[in-house]
C-alpha cells in the first residue's frame, strides 16, 4: 500500500489519481469536506502536497475547495482540478507545488467527465445537461476564454493529450445485429 491516509480526517478520493516519474498524487476530502492533494514522494512516502486543512495549500488566500472530482498533472508539475469552490461553485483550478492555486475558469453549468493538461491548456470532456451530448473543450492554463473543439461526442471519456493531438473515447454504433451495439472507439484530433 502506498499513499495511505495521513490522518483520521481523510477519506478516499474521487477519480483523481496522477502518476509521474517520481510521485503519486491523489485527491482526497476531509471531515470538513475540503479537498487536499496527497503526494507520495518516491512513490512510497505519504506527504501532503502543500498541506491539508481546508485547501490544497496551507495559508492559501484562494477559496477552499468543497469537492474535487477530476485531476490532471502537466509536465510543468501543475495540478489541475475540476472542483467546487465554496462561494463560486464549479471551477477549474490550477495549483503548482509551493504556490497558491489560481482560477482557470468558472464552469457553473458544465458537467465534467474527464480532464487532462499540457503546458499551455487544460482539456475537458463535459456537457451542459444530463441528456445532452459531450463536448471536447480547451481552456488556456493561465485562464481565459474556452474553445469548443468538438461537439456531439456520444458518451465521450478517457481524455489524453500528447505533443500534437488530443485523444478520447466515444461509443460508436455497430450495425448488423438484431439491434445496434455501442462499441468504444478511440478518436483523435490535431491540437
Amino acid at each position: 500500500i502506498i499513499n495511505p491516509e495521513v490522518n483520521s480526517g481523510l477519506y478516499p478520493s474521487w477519480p483523481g489519481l496522477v502518476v509521474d516519474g517520481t510521485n503519486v498524487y491523489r485527491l482526497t476530502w476531509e471531515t470538513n469536506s475540503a479537498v487536499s492533494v496527497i503526494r507520495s514522494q518516491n512513490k512510497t512516502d505519504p506527504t501532503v502536497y502543500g498541506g491539508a486543512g481546508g485547501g490544497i495549500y496551507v495559508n492559501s488566500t484562494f477559496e477552499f475547495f468543497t469537492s474535487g472530482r477530476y485531476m490532471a498533472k502537466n509536465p510543468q508539475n501543475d495540478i489541475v482540478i475540476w472542483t467546487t469552490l465554496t462561494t463560486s461553485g464549479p471551477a477549474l483550478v490550477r495549483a503548482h507545488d509551493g504556490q497558491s492555486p489560481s482560477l482557470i475558469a468558472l464552469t457553473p453549468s458544465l458537467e465534467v467527465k474527464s480532464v487532462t493538461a499540457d503546458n499551455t491548456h487544460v482539456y475537458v470532456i463535459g456537457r451542459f445537461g444530463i441528456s445532452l451530448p459531450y463536448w471536447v473543450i480547451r481552456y488556456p492554463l493561465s485562464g481565459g476564454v474556452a474553445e469548443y473543439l468538438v461537439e456531439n461526442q456520444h458518451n465521450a471519456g478517457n481524455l489524453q493529450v500528447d505533443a500534437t493531438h488530443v485523444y478520447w473515447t466515444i461509443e460508436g454504433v455497430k450495425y448488423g445485429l438484431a439491434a445496434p451495439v455501442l462499441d468504444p472507439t478511440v478518436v483523435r484530433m490535431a491540437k
Side-chain angles (χ1 to χ4, degrees), residues 71-190:
M71 177 173 68
K73 182 177 171 293
N74 69 8
Q76 296 178 154
N77 294 319
D78 293 308
I79 298 282
V80 177
I81 301 169
W82 183 64
T83 185
T84 301
L85 303 175
T86 51
T87 60
S88 302
L92 285 166
V93 175
R94 173 187 183 187
H96 191 80
D97 200 4
Q99 298 175 9
S100 293
S102 60
L103 179 67
I104 296 171
L106 294 175
T107 58
S109 59
L110 183 64
E111 173 196 333
V112 171
K113 188 173 180 185
S114 186
V115 174
T116 192
D118 61 18
N119 288 338
T120 59
H121 291 89
V122 178
Y123 297 82
V124 172
I125 288 178
R127 62 184 177 183
F128 297 97
I130 296 276
S131 61
L132 297 176
Y134 289 95
W135 290 72
V136 178
I137 306 166
R138 178 170 63 188
Y139 295 86
L141 194 61
S142 58
V145 177
E147 296 176 69
Y148 297 89
L149 302 178
V150 182
E151 62 179 304
N152 295 321
Q153 299 298 290
H154 182 69
N155 205 17
N158 304 305
L159 189 61
Q160 298 291 321
V161 293
D162 65 14
T164 59
H165 287 83
V166 182
Y167 302 82
W168 64 96
T169 58
I170 59 172
E171 287 184 349
V173 178
K174 179 179 179 182
Y175 296 97
L177 303 173
V181 175
L182 299 177
D183 284 338
T185 303
V186 177
V187 293
R188 75 173 188 170
M189 69 174 290

Side-chain angles (χ1 to χ4, degrees), residues 29-100:
W29 56 279
E30 304 173 43
T31 53
N32 63 359
S33 298
V35 172
S36 293
V37 177
I38 307 301
R39 176 181 59 199
S40 292
Q41 294 177 333
N42 301 318
K43 298 187 180 174
T44 58
D45 301 325
T47 58
V48 177
Y49 184 81
I56 289 188
Y57 291 87
V58 174
N59 299 322
S60 170
T61 58
F62 201 66
E63 291 186 70
F64 288 161
F65 308 155
T66 58
S67 66
R69 292 181 178 86
Y70 294 97
M71 177 173 68
K73 182 177 171 293
N74 69 8
Q76 296 178 154
N77 294 319
D78 293 308
I79 298 282
V80 177
I81 301 169
W82 183 64
T83 185
T84 301
L85 303 175
T86 51
T87 60
S88 302
L92 285 166
V93 175
R94 173 187 183 187
H96 191 80
D97 200 4
Q99 298 175 9
S100 293

